[in-house]
Amino acid sequence: MESSSPLHICSTCKISSPIFNRSYAFFHFTALIFFIYYRLSYFLFPNPTLLHTLLFTSELLLSFIWLCGQAFLWRPVSRTVYPERLPENKELPSIDVLICTADPKKEPPFEVMNTVLSALAMDYPPDKLAVYLSDDGGSSLTLKCMREAYGFARYWLPFCLRFRIKNRCPKVYFAASEDDLLNSYNVEYAEEKEKIKRKYEQFKDRVKQAEENDYEKEEGSNIDNDDHPPVIQVINEESNNELDINQVQVPLLVYVSREKRPNHTHHFKAGALNVLLRVSGIMTNSPYMLVLDCDMYCNDPTSARQAMCFHLDPQISPSLAFVQFPQKFHNISKSDIYDSQLRTLFVIRWPGVDGLQGPILSGTGFYMKRNALYGNISEKGVEQLKRIFGHSNDFIMSVHNSSQQKILDNTGSSSKLLQEAQFLAKCTYEQDTLWGQQIGFLYESVVEDFFTGMILHCRGWNSVLCNPSRAAFAGTATTNLNDTLIQNTRWQSGLMEVTISRFCPFIYGISRMSLLQTMCYGCLALQPLYSFPLWCLATLPQLCLFNDIPIYPKVSSSWFMIFSFIFVASLLKHLEEVLSSGGTVKTWWNEQHIWMIKAVTAYTYGSLDAILKWVGIRKASFIPTNKVPDEGKISLYQKGKFNFQTSTRLLAPITTLVVLNMISLIIGVARMLISGNWSSMFGQVFLSFYIVVVNFPVIEGMLLRKDEGCIPFLISLLSLALALTFLYIGSMVL
């Protein structure tokens, strides 16, 4: 390949200017130094109070997390790929697509099959592509739907190839008209589209019927998703008179349901991926793997070729572990009140860390080099490899030949190979091995993506972010508060697990990664701890305001300007990032709303969950996000209204804080008007006012709304009682 024709180029990111970011960081950091000096002056007195100690500790923690977060903004880059410069199809490496599903009730099989079909139809040589679906629920329904999907794929794939269809997820294609514009004058296309649409409707009806029959069978039955044997099947069907199967080649499609028993830890998604890693290793052994969530369909069929622009670059390939595509979602509303698109992560932070050692592994939408998960095996013998990888000779051979693809067609799989695959999928296979500890996807945390990516970077591997104009993958985002908080609680619990373990980035990573890369991982690992300073700053100044005790400088003091600059500069920097990435002021304000709600609830419960697991009081858990659409909840989301239909446990913390701040604000303003002591108390009044205004959706849900998504009166009453109790006891202590 000629050096004059690179497969990709790297340039400075247009969204975030490094010069502006560094200038802001310098002035903000300088202000923090003065701020810390001011706070330390309190400790020069003989008896610093617990109140000031808690406030200072929370402010220091906030400052440290902010400082770590500046590493994301140090050197943001963007990349452009040229897939047309790739070698011919016969020279491209093979790819195994690994898709995970866990519960057909929360992850509808029809949606999962659309993801499978979009992967089968990728613009890549079909003989170099294999799709594996992990069904952790062990559901016969999922297996039946896979057979239906394979049957439809035999018609869908040649149609997509013949007419150069871009939307290769059938559900998306038949709901859009984008591809019709390319073929608008093609009469043959219109005829073929009608034929394939009929086939699609038949496929859809069969899947829906299978779902209904399955649910009828489950009524009155006792099915345990965590107690079933391993099942491995290569999906195929015989040719019929309507279509000669020799005229179309469908990529290999394999159903994998690992064994699960109640008395064996199964390690959730990481355990499922490791089984797929082993099963695919003896079946196709492709050197590269695409990992997808079951709802994350392939939106751009060329994503594999885009990823190969990095993996086949001789300058970066030897140290490149994975190519990460940003997560994007097809059901985001204009207001996105729950920040479901995770804008800060994928638009601001990931391009920033891409300029360092590479983006953090993000759970789905990444092309991983198989060797990166195996570690260094060059000098190890067969017996050593068995102690590491387990006692499967076939798999050990695949590890030795990890750069060579095996050819396994849909009809040539032997029963012996399937038996070996089932052996690899048994729940006891990993005992006394290093699976999940040093090889494969790692088990230390329920956020296996974050932890595995960090360890790969610690071992010297790099990664890159590929963010094309057309989203490579599109998934289903959470569209109600309950699912958002449950999902975020799981994420924060996993991050906290890493923080309090021996793999804490500031301990384990500092000597193995660059300082800036360590700061990026550290910023995310400390994210659950936002809950502590937020609880302190949303209760203690308000308690003092209620009791007319000043804790911030007077408005006339020069120190007040330092406090004001830190607060205002943080808000304006966030606003600048939103506007520069195509957002609006409303986007910025909505992110302020949901961040505070998440920090008070999900971050708090995530931290507590991780600590309880660490001390052995609680076992690890993983609740899949519900992907079943609810029209009522979706309607509220589209209107930009919060849906507060969730548990008291999740609602009570934020409603209590809001009520507390409302009471303190009213009392504080009344006292200021009576006494005229506005200069000393203005900082606390403004802080309470800001918290009340930011949480206006919560106030609206308590006082102004009467629809199904409002906050129940009993929760409002409970919050009032808790707030008054806190103010009473706090006043007694003060």
Side-chain angles (χ1 to χ4, degrees):
M1 191 176 299
E2 296 181 4
S3 58
S4 59
S5 301
L7 292 173
H8 66 92
I9 58 173
C10 180
S11 57
T12 303
C13 186
K14 297 179 181 179
I15 293 178
S16 188
S17 167
I19 296 176
F20 178 80
N21 291 336
R22 295 176 190 182
S23 300
Y24 158 74
F26 172 77
F27 288 111
H28 195 109
F29 182 73
T30 302
L32 284 177
I33 295 297
F34 284 104
F35 163 78
I36 292 172
Y37 171 79
Y38 173 83
R39 280 299 189 205
L40 282 173
S41 64
Y42 278 98
F43 291 87
L44 298 177
F45 295 100
N47 298 308
T49 64
L50 176 62
L51 175 71
H52 287 101
T53 302
L54 289 173
L55 283 174
F56 186 39
T57 302
S58 64
E59 290 160 348
L60 278 179
L61 181 57
L62 276 178
S63 301
F64 184 67
I65 296 176
W66 171 86
L67 179 62
C68 291
Q70 299 315 295
F72 285 109
L73 305 175
W74 194 252
R75 188 177 176 266
V77 299
S78 62
R79 301 178 187 271
T80 305
V81 295
Y82 302 96
E84 66 275 7
R85 299 174 182 174
L86 286 171
E88 296 179 358
N89 284 351
K90 63 181 180 180
E91 298 179 24
L92 292 175
S94 58
I95 298 173
D96 290 336
V97 183
L98 312 183
I99 304 174
C100 292
T101 185
D103 187 345
K105 292 182 179 179
K106 292 186 175 182
E107 299 163 340
F110 179 68
E111 306 295 336
V112 177
M113 293 309 113
N114 269 274
T115 299
V116 169
L117 286 164
S118 71
L120 289 170
M122 282 202 300
D123 179 18
Y124 208 74
D127 60 320
K128 294 178 178 288
L129 193 64
V131 178
Y132 296 81
L133 177 69
S134 169
D135 175 23
D136 251 15
S139 171
S140 59
L141 170 62
T142 303
L143 178 56
K144 179 176 177 58
C145 291
M146 280 190 72
R147 294 195 181 103
E148 297 291 350
Y150 180 82
F152 176 68
R154 294 170 57 242
Y155 302 93
W156 176 243
L157 271 59
F159 174 76
C160 292
L161 182 63
R162 184 177 180 184
F163 296 104
R164 296 178 296 168
I165 302 300
K166 289 184 178 180
N167 287 321
R168 298 195 179 181
C169 172
K171 182 180 178 181
V172 176
Y173 168 74
F174 288 111
S177 58
E178 175 185 341
D179 292 294
D180 289 341
L181 296 176
L182 299 174
N183 301 280
S184 56
Y185 299 104
N186 191 332
V187 177
E188 186 181 7
Y189 165 75
E191 294 176 352
E192 291 298 321
K193 181 180 179 181
E194 284 303 313
K195 290 181 182 179
I196 200 70
K197 187 174 183 179
R198 287 195 295 270
K199 293 290 183 185
Y200 173 69
E201 292 300 330
Q202 293 170 5
F203 157 68
K204 182 178 179 180
D205 291 341
R206 287 194 293 268
V207 170
K208 295 295 183 182
Q209 185 61 47
E211 291 181 7
E212 292 175 5
N213 293 340
D214 186 75
Y215 295 151
E216 288 176 3
K217 290 179 182 178
E218 284 190 9
E219 290 183 2
S221 63
N222 186 17
I223 298 176
D224 189 350
N225 289 340
D226 288 335
D227 190 6
H228 55 79
V231 178
I232 317 289
Q233 286 198 24
V234 176
I235 308 299
N236 55 61
E237 65 176 27
E238 297 298 328
S239 174
N240 55 40
N241 296 329
E242 188 176 352
L243 177 70
D244 183 1
I245 199 169
N246 293 321
Q247 294 179 359
V248 58
Q249 183 174 4
V250 179
L252 181 71
L253 180 60
V254 183
Y255 171 86
V256 179
S257 177
R258 59 177 172 146
E259 181 182 25
K260 294 176 75 175
R261 301 300 180 191
N263 56 339
H264 282 83
T265 305
H266 51 81
H267 301 294
F268 314 111
K269 183 181 176 181
L273 285 172
N274 282 338
V275 170
L276 289 181
L277 188 60
R278 295 194 293 270
V279 171
S280 64
I282 66 167
M283 285 190 166
T284 47
N285 202 34
S286 299
Y288 299 99
M289 301 171 298
L290 165 62
V291 175
L292 290 177
D293 284 344
C294 64
D295 66 323
M296 189 69 65
Y297 66 83
C298 300
N299 186 62
D300 186 345
T302 67
S303 67
R305 295 181 183 272
Q306 294 177 41
M308 289 305 115
C309 289
F310 300 103
H311 278 303
L312 298 184
D313 186 331
Q315 294 185 349
I316 67 172
S317 181
S319 63
L320 181 62
F322 61 91
V323 177
Q324 178 70 62
F325 287 83
Q327 292 184 27
K328 298 188 178 181
F329 307 93
H330 61 81
N331 62 333
I332 298 294
S333 70
K334 186 176 181 180
S335 57
D336 190 23
I337 54 175
Y338 303 120
D339 189 26
S340 300
Q341 64 182 323
L342 303 174
R343 186 201 56 82
T344 298
L345 278 184
F346 295 116
V347 178
I348 301 297
R349 289 184 167 181
W350 266 218
V353 74
D354 192 20
L356 304 175
Q357 202 174 339
I360 294 159
L361 199 63
S362 305
T364 181
F366 60 88
Y367 286 84
M368 174 75 72
K369 183 180 293 179
R370 186 181 288 267
N371 275 346
L373 296 172
Y374 287 169
N376 184 11
I377 61 170
S378 56
E379 298 181 359
K380 292 181 172 62
V382 174
E383 292 303 318
Q384 286 179 298
L385 291 176
K386 285 186 177 182
R387 286 194 292 270
I388 296 172
F389 293 98
H391 294 274
S392 170
N393 292 327
D394 287 346
F395 184 72
I396 296 301
M397 289 177 62
S398 77
V399 170
H400 266 301
N401 302 294
S402 56
S403 61
Q404 299 179 14
Q405 179 198 16
K406 293 182 178 180
I407 305 298
L408 179 68
D409 59 35
N410 283 336
T411 58
S413 57
S414 67
S415 58
K416 181 181 178 182
L417 184 63
L418 290 178
Q419 288 177 0
E420 187 69 13
Q422 290 182 351
F423 172 61
L424 290 167
K426 291 185 72 67
C427 59
T428 56
Y429 181 81
E430 294 183 356
Q431 289 182 357
D432 301 320
T433 68
L434 296 183
W435 282 102
Q437 301 173 51
Q438 296 182 23
I439 60 170
F441 293 88
L442 305 181
Y443 297 154
E444 188 73 21
S445 167
V446 292
V447 284
E448 77 294 325
D449 47 358
F450 174 86
F451 183 55
T452 301
M454 187 188 81
I455 297 302
L456 288 175
H457 282 135
C458 286
R459 291 173 180 171
W461 290 97
N462 296 320
S463 59
V464 298
L465 178 72
C466 185
N467 188 13
S469 56
R470 181 185 176 94
F473 309 98
T476 304
T478 55
T479 55
N480 62 81
L481 186 62
N482 182 69
D483 289 346
T484 298
L485 294 181
I486 290 175
Q487 184 184 66
N488 275 268
T489 298
R490 183 178 74 239
W491 290 345
Q492 303 310 317
S493 175
L495 292 173
M496 193 65 182
E497 284 174 335
V498 177
T499 303
I500 60 180
S501 72
R502 66 186 181 93
F503 295 103
C504 175
F506 300 109
I507 299 173
Y508 186 84
I510 192 66
S511 62
R512 296 172 173 87
M513 295 184 290
S514 68
L515 175 61
L516 291 176
Q517 188 79 9
T518 301
M519 289 170 65
C520 290
Y521 274 104
C523 177
L524 292 177
L526 292 176
Q527 186 170 269
L529 294 180
Y530 267 125
S531 56
F532 173 73
L534 189 56
W535 274 101
C536 289
L537 294 174
T539 57
L540 300 181
Q542 291 72 14
L543 178 62
C544 293
L545 175 62
F546 185 80
N547 289 278
D548 200 26
I549 302 174
I551 59 171
Y552 291 122
K554 293 183 178 181
V555 175
S556 57
S557 169
S558 58
W559 291 109
F560 185 81
M561 296 301 296
I562 299 295
F563 279 73
S564 301
F565 174 81
I566 293 172
F567 179 79
V568 174
S570 298
L571 294 181
L572 291 178
K573 184 63 174 72
H574 180 207
L575 178 61
E576 178 270 330
E577 291 175 358
V578 172
L579 295 178
S580 64
S581 60
T584 63
V585 174
K586 187 175 181 180
T587 304
W588 167 75
W589 194 235
N590 286 335
E591 290 186 8
Q592 295 283 318
H593 295 323
I594 194 60
W595 178 84
M596 192 166 294
I597 294 174
K598 287 178 182 177
V600 170
T601 54
Y603 293 13
T604 300
Y605 287 124
S607 300
L608 292 175
D609 183 68
I611 293 171
L612 291 176
K613 285 186 283 189
W614 185 55
V615 298
I617 297 177
R618 180 181 173 88
K619 291 185 178 180
S621 61
F622 187 101
I623 303 175
T625 305
N626 187 12
K627 307 296 194 311
V628 179
D630 184 309
E631 294 302 325
K633 295 178 180 178
I634 292 175
S635 176
L636 286 173
Y637 172 68
Q638 294 295 337
K639 293 176 182 177
K641 290 185 174 293
F642 275 78
N643 183 352
F644 294 105
Q645 288 180 311
T646 184
S647 65
T648 303
R649 181 177 69 92
L650 291 176
L651 265 187
I654 187 64
T655 52
T656 301
L657 281 189
V658 171
V659 171
L660 172 65
N661 278 267
M662 290 173 65
I663 295 173
S664 299
L665 178 63
I666 293 170
I667 299 298
V669 171
R671 280 182 173 162
M672 284 175 56
L673 293 175
I674 294 172
S675 65
N677 187 23
W678 66 273
S679 181
S680 298
M681 305 303 296
F682 179 79
Q684 287 153 265
V685 168
F686 180 80
L687 180 59
S688 290
F689 175 75
Y690 171 75
I691 293 174
V692 168
V693 172
V694 165
N695 287 286
F696 177 74
V698 178
I699 299 173
E700 184 184 37
M702 286 192 293
L703 304 177
L704 304 179
R705 287 172 54 187
K706 301 299 180 183
D707 54 66
E708 62 178 359
C710 70
I711 296 175
F713 175 72
L714 289 178
I715 293 182
S716 300
L717 198 62
L718 173 64
S719 300
L720 178 62
L722 291 173
L724 291 175
T725 301
F726 173 79
L727 289 172
Y728 175 76
I729 296 176
S731 299
M732 295 288 291
V733 173
L734 289 178

